Amino acid sequence: MAVGELGDGAASEGMARLSLSATVTAMAATATATATSSVFDNDDLLREILVRVTLPHCLVRASLVCKSWLRNASDLVFLRRFRSLHPPPTLGFYIDSSVLSCPRFVALQGHPPELGVLLGRASRHFDAWSDVPLSMWDSRNGRVLVEIYGKLAVHSPLLPPADISVYPQTPLKVWLDRSFTYNLHEFLPEDGGNGREYYRLALGYKCKCMIAYLFHLVDGIWVGRASDTISFPGPDEQAEPVIPLGVHAFGKLFLLTNFSIIIVLDCKTLELTKVNITDEIELEDCDEVDLCEGKLEDEFTLVCLHPTKLQVWTHNLSQITWTLSHSVARDDILQASVTEAGESCAHVSILGIANAGKSAFLKLDDSIFLLDIVAKNMTKVYEICPEDGDIERIYPLLMIWPPKFPAHLTGYARLIASSSSLSLSLSLSLFLLFCIFL
């Protein structure tokens, strides 16, 4: 056979191999594109992936990829499921005392680096107010309620700096029945509000009767409503209930009194009801008691610090039952404070409760610890300095929920906006393909 014929045969065989390789590559690319398309066009599968990103701001970044991702990430049913699996993380907490001129932020450790901007804003937020006497009243969903020269204002430490409005005083003299003696409480809306609103509750007591006035400030205008009067079984007609603690959750206010009774106020209907604390809790033996929202809409949580244990009780309003959810031995709590010299702390107090009674901020002598009540482990989060003064309460700062999704952009504007989410979308896409071919 001639050399030329051999060369032509080899060339033909090489071309055939290249053609086959190109065909295989094209088929693989088509299969990959088809598989990817089947995932991106499958809302149920896409949501199963998105629900695993854990942090709310990742949902916002994912929503910039395309219209389908935006629609799925911002769906209300999906968001409710996402929050049930991943509650907004506690970024840190503010400490406040009569000695501090303004609240001081303490960031919790272990957050991903991308949250550094938010933590920096929270840490620097009150720097410009260092010469102004501020005291904190409430913290909810990324916003805080503070008092400035006797007037209240809402701050948003996690958002870019903005003008702060100081709000008018409540017209109490116009509304209140002066024959009652009142306890006053200020608090933010459940969702933190829009930065221009808060509530003020005046709870009145007279001769074993109780009445509530709820005032809501919206855009500088006060709206007030009054409840019906209910009987309140105090020890005698002259005794007045002291209400040191209150929590706002699921459209209700839960208020702990010194008469072993918890008052529940429905903020929509202004219906007042009473919940008796069960004898099983042994309230008389408690060193401290704190309130917290429950996991479900008709529940709230009572945390009790006994001489020998810390207990978490859950009350169900619809079933009218008390259930012991968790219990931690006090010796286990004290063990976390043992020094190298073998000395343990002498005093334990509750500074705050978080995560529906699953976490507690405890003060052990000169240190603040975060107790994971479920896992029963303690983490030291702050060493109290002499200049901090006597800290009696901390105010946890949570990430804002729900996340604010941007309007869908088109063209070059969307390309620029989605550049920050490129790595996220690529990671999710690879994970989607992995799930398909597994």
Side-chain angles (χ1 to χ4, degrees):
M1 185 179 292
V3 176
E5 292 178 352
L6 288 173
D8 292 342
S12 298
E13 184 179 352
M15 292 297 293
R17 289 180 179 177
L18 288 175
S19 177
L20 178 61
S21 176
T23 302
V24 171
T25 302
M27 291 176 63
T30 301
T32 301
T34 302
T36 304
S37 177
S38 67
V39 172
F40 280 84
D41 293 339
N42 188 327
D43 288 349
D44 292 335
L45 185 54
L46 180 57
R47 292 182 186 183
E48 287 301 317
I49 302 302
L50 291 176
V51 81
R52 288 163 171 78
V53 301
T54 69
L55 289 174
H57 74 281
C58 291
L59 287 181
V60 178
R61 292 167 59 188
S63 71
L64 296 171
V65 174
C66 61
K67 291 182 179 180
S68 174
W69 287 46
L70 172 62
R71 173 169 50 80
N72 283 280
S74 59
D75 180 76
L76 295 180
V77 176
F78 169 78
L79 288 175
R80 282 195 292 269
R81 182 187 173 203
F82 185 93
R83 178 165 183 170
S84 67
L85 295 173
H86 314 291
T90 302
L91 301 176
F93 57 91
Y94 282 102
I95 59 175
D96 192 17
S97 71
S98 58
V99 176
L100 293 174
S101 60
C102 63
R104 178 180 299 168
F105 182 72
V106 178
L108 294 179
Q109 301 300 313
H111 292 302
E114 57 262 34
L115 295 184
V117 174
L118 295 180
L119 297 175
R121 286 177 182 170
S123 299
R124 298 186 300 269
H125 180 77
F126 288 107
D127 289 353
W129 302 79
S130 58
D131 296 330
V132 179
L134 294 178
S135 58
M136 191 166 287
W137 289 81
D138 194 14
S139 174
R140 184 174 291 271
N141 201 23
R143 289 191 170 89
V144 294
L145 183 64
V146 299
E147 181 179 351
I148 307 173
Y149 293 120
K151 295 184 178 181
L152 297 182
V154 180
H155 287 239
S156 303
L158 300 180
L159 301 180
D163 293 335
I164 304 297
S165 299
V166 178
Y167 302 117
Q169 293 284 358
T170 320
L172 296 177
K173 294 182 180 180
V174 179
W175 283 86
L176 300 185
D177 182 341
R178 304 298 294 276
S179 63
F180 285 80
T181 301
Y182 292 93
N183 282 283
L184 301 179
H185 301 268
E186 287 79 11
F187 56 95
L188 292 165
E190 281 186 76
D191 61 358
N194 56 14
R196 299 183 301 276
E197 60 178 318
Y198 72 92
Y199 288 94
R200 191 169 205 184
L201 172 69
L203 201 61
Y205 183 77
K206 176 184 69 174
C207 300
K208 295 190 177 184
C209 292
M210 183 170 284
I211 190 172
Y213 291 85
L214 185 64
F215 300 91
H216 185 194
L217 178 69
V218 183
D219 294 329
I221 300 176
W222 282 105
V223 178
R225 295 178 296 152
S227 72
D228 294 331
T229 302
I230 65 168
S231 61
F232 188 86
D236 57 66
E237 293 190 359
Q238 301 301 320
E240 298 176 3
V242 177
I243 304 179
L245 297 171
V247 62
H248 184 204
F250 302 112
K252 295 180 177 64
L253 270 173
F254 303 94
L255 303 159
L256 177 65
T257 74
N258 58 331
F259 293 157
S260 299
I261 292 175
I262 293 175
I263 298 295
V264 182
L265 174 65
D266 189 309
C267 295
K268 184 176 180 180
T269 64
L270 251 64
E271 179 184 3
L272 280 171
T273 55
K274 298 165 288 187
V275 175
N276 292 311
I277 298 177
T278 177
D279 293 337
E280 295 180 70
I281 296 179
E282 301 176 346
L283 198 62
E284 301 80 8
D285 296 332
C286 291
D287 295 335
E288 288 191 35
V289 180
D290 209 331
L291 271 176
C292 182
E293 74 278 3
K295 185 177 181 180
L296 302 177
E297 184 172 348
D298 58 350
E299 293 181 350
F300 67 88
T301 300
L302 190 67
V303 180
C304 307
L305 182 62
H306 293 270
T308 59
K309 58 194 173 185
L310 183 144
Q311 291 185 326
V312 179
W313 292 81
T314 300
H315 181 78
N316 187 291
L317 294 173
S318 58
Q319 299 178 8
I320 320 177
T321 57
W322 285 94
T323 304
L324 178 61
S325 304
H326 304 284
S327 182
V328 182
R330 190 157 180 163
D331 287 344
D332 293 340
I333 296 174
L334 296 177
Q335 187 65 31
S337 68
V338 175
T339 64
E340 294 180 358
E343 298 177 353
S344 179
C345 85
H347 181 71
V348 181
S349 61
I350 301 175
L351 295 180
I353 306 296
N355 197 16
K358 295 181 180 179
S359 304
F361 290 92
L362 303 178
K363 178 182 176 184
L364 280 70
D365 286 343
D366 294 329
S367 300
I368 297 178
F369 286 80
L370 177 59
L371 168 64
D372 185 330
I373 298 176
V374 179
K376 298 183 180 180
N377 58 52
M378 296 264 288
T379 304
K380 186 176 179 179
V381 294
Y382 187 67
E383 182 75 26
I384 300 175
C385 306
E387 54 268 25
D388 292 332
D390 186 18
I391 300 174
E392 298 181 353
R393 195 77 181 167
I394 61 97
Y395 299 88
L397 185 67
L398 275 64
M399 206 165 181
I400 297 175
W401 181 269
K404 185 177 180 181
F405 293 95
H408 187 73
L409 303 176
T410 59
Y412 182 72
R414 184 179 69 80
L415 180 63
I416 296 300
S418 62
S419 61
S420 64
S421 63
L422 180 60
S423 60
L424 175 67
S425 61
L426 287 175
S427 299
L428 290 176
S429 299
L430 291 174
F431 183 62
L432 292 172
L433 294 174
F434 174 77
C435 293
I436 292 171
F437 292 112
L438 187 61

